[in-house]
Amino acid sequence: MDKPKVIVICGPTASGKTSLGVELAKQINGEVISCDSMQIYKDLKIGTAKPDENEMQGIKHHMIDFVPPNKRYSVAQFKKDAENSIKQVLEKGKHPILVGGTGLYINSLIYGIEYQDTKIDYEYRDSLEKIVDKQGLEVLYKQALKIDPIAIKKISSNDKKRIMRILEIYHETGKTKTEQEIESRSKEIEYDYKVFAINMDREKLYDRINKRVDKMIEQGLIEEVKEIMKKYNEFPTAMQGLGYKEVVDYINDKYTKDELIEKIKMETRRYAKRQLTWFRKNNDTIWLNGLDDIQNNINIILEGIN
């Protein structure tokens, strides 16, 4: 029996995934399921480019705006929730369309990776943070390289969060992240994921990113962060998100406003580059040109799923 088809639209930040997903959903009676690790959080609107009602155009969106910023939310939880959403959409007789740029989230679904929902050892995490403060991130990078050279090759040498996660997983389970992923892939994948990724001329993409950052500042990103900091006492992950951590540093007088804007632009361009590298690893991906009109890309998607 054929597995139900699930369309995946991925790509770098600011490449037009949201509008493409919405337009496709309108044409094929679909619903959108977000695969974005920041849009899950309540109250984080501007910095996550969360679609508003106008942008959703009446299309039902799942997996956005449902986790308080003071709660942790793991890849394991995402996979479970996303699969429930896929099931709900299919039961309505509609087409599930996954849209997002968080590679880890997307891979957990398309490769059926069962990440263990491990407890976090905060003492160990603090000890790693202290090493970074005193000796620099390179020390942890070298440790992670010894423990799990396969996993470390997939991430940037300045990606503190993921470097620490490799060390934490090994500390908590005695197994490497790579070993866990290999073990978890033995289960059959329930759906037939058809993956499409948006590519775009680098200069045009960077220009879109720069304009988006300017718009976020104009819309009140700094004020949004101040409100969240007032409302919640802690942010285990939410304030580590791109754009948010830089604003927190700005509020703590680490940057001037101009430096803040340039910092967010630079980090977002770097992130987009990493996203494209990540999505290129999947050989089954069908690439779309982000400079084409939306209808042309929808036609490619429809051809690719039939």
Side-chain angles (χ1 to χ4, degrees):
M1 199 174 104
D2 285 347
K3 294 176 184 178
K5 286 191 178 85
V6 176
I7 297 166
V8 181
I9 297 173
C10 54
T13 188
S15 61
K17 297 182 293 292
T18 299
S19 49
L20 178 58
V22 165
E23 192 53 45
L24 177 65
K26 281 159 63 179
Q27 293 189 27
I28 66 169
N29 189 27
E31 291 186 2
V32 169
I33 299 163
S34 172
C35 288
D36 186 294
S37 63
M38 293 304 292
Q39 290 186 359
I40 59 169
Y41 291 113
K42 292 176 181 177
D43 297 322
L44 277 67
K45 291 186 172 68
I46 298 168
T48 62
K50 197 178 284 175
D52 59 24
E53 282 192 19
N54 281 342
E55 289 168 301
M56 290 184 196
Q57 296 184 45
I59 295 298
K60 168 92 173 151
H61 279 60
H62 302 256
M63 306 288 291
I64 63 169
D65 216 32
F66 69 106
V67 180
N70 57 351
K71 292 280 184 286
R72 290 191 180 276
Y73 189 76
S74 66
V75 185
Q77 285 168 295
F78 165 79
K79 184 170 186 287
K80 189 179 161 196
D81 290 340
E83 284 175 342
N84 283 338
S85 295
I86 291 168
K87 198 175 168 197
Q88 284 169 30
V89 175
L90 289 167
E91 281 170 355
K92 291 183 204 172
K94 294 188 165 193
H95 295 281
I97 303 165
L98 300 176
V99 178
T102 303
L104 205 61
Y105 277 15
I106 291 164
N107 280 10
S108 75
L109 294 166
I110 65 175
Y111 298 125
I113 302 169
E114 298 289 341
Y115 288 99
Q116 286 184 352
D117 215 347
T118 47
K119 291 258 189 310
I120 290 160
D121 181 337
Y122 291 104
E123 280 184 28
Y124 181 66
R125 178 169 285 185
D126 285 345
S127 72
L128 295 179
E129 289 282 6
K130 281 174 187 159
I131 291 170
V132 175
D133 289 344
K134 287 178 184 169
Q135 300 172 56
L137 184 58
E138 197 183 345
V139 175
L140 294 193
Y141 183 82
K142 284 177 179 170
Q143 278 182 34
L145 183 64
K146 277 182 193 165
I147 288 166
D148 195 346
I150 295 169
I152 203 76
K153 276 177 191 163
K154 295 175 189 172
I155 63 175
S156 156
S157 60
N158 59 10
D159 192 338
K160 184 173 91 165
K161 189 173 151 191
R162 290 205 170 92
I163 292 167
M164 283 174 62
R165 197 69 200 123
I166 287 170
L167 296 170
E168 284 177 348
I169 287 168
Y170 187 67
H171 172 77
E172 288 152 17
T173 66
K175 289 181 180 175
T176 67
K177 184 170 176 286
T178 302
E179 283 169 341
Q180 283 192 6
E181 287 181 10
I182 291 164
E183 283 171 19
S184 77
R185 288 186 192 206
S186 55
K187 246 174 82 176
E188 200 189 342
I189 298 159
E190 205 173 339
Y191 303 109
D192 179 11
Y193 291 99
K194 300 290 185 187
V195 184
F196 301 87
I198 298 175
N199 202 0
M200 191 179 278
D201 172 76
R202 187 75 44 98
E203 289 307 311
K204 294 243 169 40
L205 178 63
Y206 287 176
D207 184 51
R208 282 171 68 100
I209 286 168
N210 292 342
K211 282 176 179 160
R212 178 187 269 191
V213 173
D214 287 335
K215 191 179 171 190
M216 284 175 175
I217 298 293
E218 280 165 31
Q219 287 174 327
L221 176 60
I222 294 165
E223 291 72 23
E224 178 175 272
V225 174
K226 285 177 179 172
E227 283 300 312
I228 295 162
M229 289 172 80
K230 252 189 245 171
K231 188 171 174 180
Y232 300 95
N233 295 324
E234 54 171 7
F235 326 93
T237 315
M239 286 293 129
Q240 290 304 306
L242 184 55
Y244 287 91
K245 63 176 181 283
E246 289 82 9
V247 173
V248 171
D249 285 344
Y250 163 75
I251 291 166
N252 292 328
D253 295 324
K254 282 198 182 174
Y255 311 120
T256 65
K257 192 172 177 182
D258 285 346
E259 285 169 343
L260 163 71
I261 293 165
E262 282 314 307
K263 177 81 173 160
I264 297 175
K265 286 178 180 177
M266 182 183 73
E267 292 300 340
T268 308
R269 292 193 299 264
R270 282 181 178 164
Y271 177 55
K273 195 176 169 189
R274 291 199 300 272
Q275 284 175 301
L276 281 165
T277 303
W278 181 289
F279 296 130
R280 285 194 184 106
K281 286 173 191 148
N282 180 358
N283 296 329
D284 296 325
T285 297
I286 296 169
W287 285 90
L288 308 169
N289 185 348
L291 302 174
D292 283 354
D293 64 55
I294 284 180
Q295 192 54 53
N296 196 35
N297 280 327
I298 287 174
N299 295 341
I300 293 167
I301 291 169
L302 297 178
E303 210 175 287
I305 62 172
N306 291 325

